[in-house]
């Protein structure tokens, strides 16, 4: 991954073309090119900034729970751009029953109170070294509460890791949105290399978990996804 003003895009991908890519049979076409931008969106969760109009979206999600590999109940669409200093993320979570969206308030990083089986949420996980063993995850619930953590040994989280980043949610008649602004300096990476990426949404009242990258349940992996 190279971040320069004269580079128009970088790649964040499940590079199924790489010989070393684990579980590549589950990652076909899971590749995203992230555009460079000279504009900064207003982080308000409304997604009406012109910056988002022509950005490609990630919307080919599948269920992890309860019906593995089945299509999601509702559409999720995520767009990511970057400048020299930040990643900007816009996520739209459609829902035909917005009154059922669960939004629990608590302090930052309180996963058990405000996320685990209690709220709707969306997470962005980045393997910035693309080593399939480490990474960083940023989660926002429908009340705007944040969780961040470091991934290590492919299948464990360090919840004591903390970052300073911005996010804002907006619940509306068709579901809810999130915008995020994450400093690139938050995590290390190798210039010129692809990153690993996964995105997961949880719908509380359906007890449904949808992800961009889904593996069989017997594979206890996080970064490898």
């Amino acid at each position: 991954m190279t971040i320069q003003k004269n580079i128009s895009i970088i790649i964040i991908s499940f590079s199924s073309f790489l010989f070393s890519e684990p579980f590549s049979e589950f990652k076909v076409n899971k590749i995203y090119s992230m555009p460079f931008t000279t504009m900064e969106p207003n982080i308000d969760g409304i997604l009406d900034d012109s910056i988002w109009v022509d950005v490609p979206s990630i919307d080919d999600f599948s269920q992890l729970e309860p019906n593995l590999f089945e299509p999601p109940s509702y559409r999720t669409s995520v767009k990511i751009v970057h400048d020299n200093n930040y990643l900007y993320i816009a996520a739209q979570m459609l829902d035909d029953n917005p009154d059922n969206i669960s939004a629990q308030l608590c302090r930052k990083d309180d996963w058990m109170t405000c996320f685990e089986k209690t709220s709707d949420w969306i997470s962005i996980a980045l393997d910035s070294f693309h080593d399939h063993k480490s990474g960083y995850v940023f989660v926002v619930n429908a009340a705007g509460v944040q969780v961040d953590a470091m991934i290590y040994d492919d299948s464990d989280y360090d919840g004591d890791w903390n970052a300073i980043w911005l996010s804002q949610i907006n619940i509306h008649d068709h579901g809810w949105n999130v915008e995020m602004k994450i400093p690139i300096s938050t995590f290390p990476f190798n210039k010129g290399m692809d990153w690993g990426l996964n995105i997961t949404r949880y719908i509380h009242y359906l007890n449904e978990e949808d992800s961009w990258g889904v593996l069989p349940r017997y594979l206890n992996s996080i970064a490898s996804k």
Side-chain angles (χ1 to χ4, degrees):
M1 171 180 168
T2 302
I3 302 176
Q4 299 176 354
K5 289 184 178 180
N6 62 343
I7 297 296
S8 59
I9 63 171
I10 61 176
I11 301 294
I12 290 183
S13 70
F14 288 127
S15 295
S16 55
F17 306 103
L18 293 179
F19 179 77
S20 61
E21 184 68 28
F23 316 119
S24 59
E25 67 271 26
F26 299 106
K27 303 176 182 181
V28 177
N29 297 323
K30 299 294 183 178
I31 298 174
Y32 185 75
S33 298
M34 182 171 64
F36 180 87
T37 182
T38 57
M39 299 184 293
E40 180 175 342
N42 184 25
I43 307 300
D44 56 10
I46 299 177
L47 312 188
D48 60 351
D49 299 87
S50 60
I51 185 177
W52 300 120
V53 173
D54 296 321
V55 176
S57 63
I58 296 170
D59 53 18
D60 52 332
F61 288 75
S62 299
Q63 287 191 44
L64 178 62
E65 297 289 350
N67 302 310
L68 188 68
F69 298 122
E70 291 296 311
S73 297
Y74 301 115
R75 184 174 184 266
T76 300
S77 176
V78 178
K79 298 182 176 184
I80 310 173
V81 299
H82 77 96
D83 58 22
N84 288 316
N85 299 305
Y86 297 97
L87 303 181
Y88 303 102
I89 300 163
Q92 181 184 63
M93 286 68 67
L94 297 183
D95 196 315
D96 290 345
N97 303 285
D99 290 341
N100 290 337
I101 294 171
S102 179
Q104 297 292 328
L105 277 170
C106 67
R107 300 179 69 177
K108 184 178 184 289
D109 288 332
D110 190 345
W111 178 263
M112 296 306 297
T113 301
C114 284
F115 291 83
E116 180 71 24
K117 307 297 185 181
T118 64
S119 291
D120 288 61
W121 51 261
I122 187 165
S123 71
I124 307 293
L126 300 166
D127 176 2
S128 56
F129 281 136
H130 206 193
D131 60 9
H132 312 111
K133 295 181 179 180
S134 62
Y136 305 87
V137 61
F138 304 86
V139 196
V140 182
N141 79 358
V145 179
Q146 297 180 346
V147 162
D148 46 34
M150 180 186 295
I151 303 165
Y152 67 96
D153 292 341
D154 190 13
S155 58
D156 288 308
Y157 291 106
D158 178 4
D160 291 332
W161 181 83
N162 286 293
I164 298 175
W165 49 292
L166 298 178
S167 61
Q168 187 60 255
I169 63 97
N170 177 43
I171 298 177
H172 50 79
D173 291 341
H174 304 288
W176 65 294
N177 303 334
V178 173
E179 279 183 299
M180 305 181 194
K181 178 181 179 181
I182 303 173
I184 294 171
S185 60
T186 299
F187 38 79
F189 61 92
N190 291 324
K191 292 184 178 181
M193 295 294 293
D194 290 350
W195 290 9
L197 168 69
N198 205 6
I199 305 166
T200 301
R201 173 192 180 181
Y202 180 70
I203 305 172
H204 173 258
Y205 73 96
L206 298 178
N207 196 25
E208 179 175 323
E209 194 168 331
D210 305 322
S211 285
W212 189 42
V214 176
L215 300 181
R217 294 189 183 98
Y218 64 83
L219 296 172
N220 185 26
S221 300
I222 300 171
S224 290
K225 291 183 182 181

